[in-house]
Amino acid sequence: LEIHVTILNENDNSPVFMQTNLTKVVPEDTKVNATILARENLSASDADLDIIFYELTTIVPGTDGYFAIKGVNNPEIYLQKALNYEKFNSTTLVLYARDRPVGSTDATNTASTTINIFIEQADNRSPRFLPCNFVNMDKSICISSPYIGRVNISEMSTEPLILEPGPIYAIDPDYSLNEKIVYSIVDGDADQVFSVDADTGNLTMNKPATSLDSYLLQVMATQANNIQKYSIASVQIKVIKKSNYAPYFESKRYNGSVFAGLDAGSFVFQAGGDHSTPLRITAMDDDFPNV
């Protein structure tokens, strides 16, 4: 008697990953659709020789949608959306491997591997003058106001000029790299009245200003390691006459009178008169005798 015995494969083995915890450093400027982890590094095996079905999830809030797998049967991870180091610099992915499709009513064995992603900041932003105001929600664009200063005509200051809203100062917004910033005047100073310190940004004078015309300087901040990374700021220097005298009031005491019950904004009149001459408070300045 010849008996043929067929051994049925019982689904009693779970998929197995080669590694259950991986770490990958990804440059911020990685191109969309680029491969992050190859299929051969992520494929799971199954002793039951079942077809493996994969699913990728993100467990860090606010970082989903950036990474994906090529397909339900292909665990290769690729970049699905451009990275921004200022939004997040790390995330954690979990890759699941199942021996039955998602939603199957059959008994399913599952394995998982954790993938730690660290974003490496790229040198892709130009210097930023401070103070500045952000104009978009992700704070990637910051606009600075012009710097404003004053000098006296025919006088040369030996100290760095005082500017508003503050001294000339720029930073590398790729703050983890923090490249050195170099300053220079690129326009608006044909007579070379001013100079800017390349390292500090302090603005000083080379010689006196000889006319009351204002200067509109264009100051450039560049990265020392890459001159193509630069920003321009405007610096307005107003040339004024020197003030030798403080202003003073024409009288040390003014007296006025008003009628009860008047509306706001009504005139105050000179006291002791016929209440027809508005009270005037005036000051003088001997620097401007004809004004």
Side-chain angles (χ1 to χ4, degrees):
L1 178 64
E2 190 173 285
I3 301 174
H4 295 276
V5 178
T6 300
I7 307 299
L8 300 178
N9 189 11
E10 181 73 17
N11 184 22
D12 55 355
N13 291 286
S14 296
V16 177
F17 283 104
M18 290 185 294
Q19 300 180 65
T20 57
N21 197 295
L22 297 91
T23 298
K24 180 67 176 180
V25 177
V26 182
E28 181 188 11
D29 56 356
T30 299
K31 301 296 184 183
V32 172
N33 295 323
T35 296
I36 304 301
L37 285 167
R39 179 175 186 169
E40 54 267 23
N41 297 325
L42 295 172
S43 294
S45 60
D46 188 343
D48 297 321
L49 302 180
D50 291 319
I51 296 175
I52 305 298
F53 299 87
Y54 297 94
E55 180 187 8
L56 184 68
T57 63
T58 304
I59 63 175
V60 178
T63 64
D64 55 323
Y66 288 88
F67 301 93
I69 56 176
K70 288 289 187 178
V72 68
N73 300 123
N74 182 356
E76 177 180 309
I77 296 177
Y78 70 97
L79 185 64
Q80 187 171 242
K81 188 166 62 173
L83 297 170
N84 185 339
Y85 186 88
E86 293 185 348
K87 285 188 175 180
F88 69 94
N89 53 35
S90 65
T91 188
T92 301
L93 311 176
V94 178
L95 180 65
Y96 294 96
R98 299 181 176 89
D99 55 13
R100 294 291 185 271
V102 175
S104 173
T105 58
D106 296 337
T108 303
N109 297 308
T110 304
S112 66
T113 182
T114 301
I115 304 154
N116 302 296
I117 300 289
F118 294 95
I119 312 302
E120 181 181 64
Q121 189 167 30
D123 188 8
N124 58 4
R125 296 172 180 83
S126 297
R128 178 181 295 165
F129 282 97
L130 298 179
C132 65
N133 296 312
F134 291 105
V135 296
N136 57 343
M137 294 299 294
D138 62 2
K139 296 186 176 182
S140 60
I141 301 174
C142 199
I143 304 299
S144 61
S145 300
Y147 297 94
I148 299 175
R150 294 173 178 82
V151 297
N152 294 323
I153 190 170
S154 302
E155 288 189 2
M156 188 183 82
S157 173
T158 58
E159 299 294 329
L161 300 183
I162 297 175
L163 304 176
E164 295 293 339
I168 297 172
Y169 180 61
I171 62 168
D172 179 5
D174 299 315
Y175 52 85
S176 70
L177 304 177
N178 195 28
E179 298 292 349
K180 180 182 178 181
I181 304 299
V182 178
Y183 304 91
S184 60
I185 298 175
V186 294
D187 195 18
D189 189 24
D191 298 331
Q192 297 184 345
V193 175
F194 304 95
S195 62
V196 64
D197 188 285
D199 295 322
T200 65
N202 285 336
L203 187 67
T204 55
M205 299 185 71
N206 299 321
K207 56 185 179 182
T210 57
S211 72
L212 292 174
D213 296 331
S214 294
Y215 291 84
L216 186 60
L217 310 178
Q218 302 298 315
V219 175
M220 180 170 68
T222 64
Q223 289 186 189
N225 67 334
N226 185 357
I227 196 173
Q228 300 300 321
K229 297 291 177 59
Y230 71 92
S231 292
I232 302 291
S234 296
V235 182
Q236 182 183 17
I237 303 297
K238 299 178 180 179
V239 182
I240 61 175
K241 291 182 178 180
K242 184 178 180 180
S243 178
N244 295 310
Y245 304 97
Y248 60 90
F249 289 103
E250 289 186 302
S251 176
K252 292 184 177 181
R253 182 184 181 92
Y254 292 86
N255 296 307
S257 63
V258 294
F259 293 103
L262 292 179
D263 294 332
S266 298
F267 282 117
V268 176
F269 295 97
Q270 290 186 8
D274 58 1
H275 298 101
S276 62
T277 304
L279 178 64
R280 295 183 63 190
I281 300 174
T282 57
M284 299 292 290
D285 190 334
D286 291 338
D287 288 311
F288 307 95
N290 298 323
V291 177

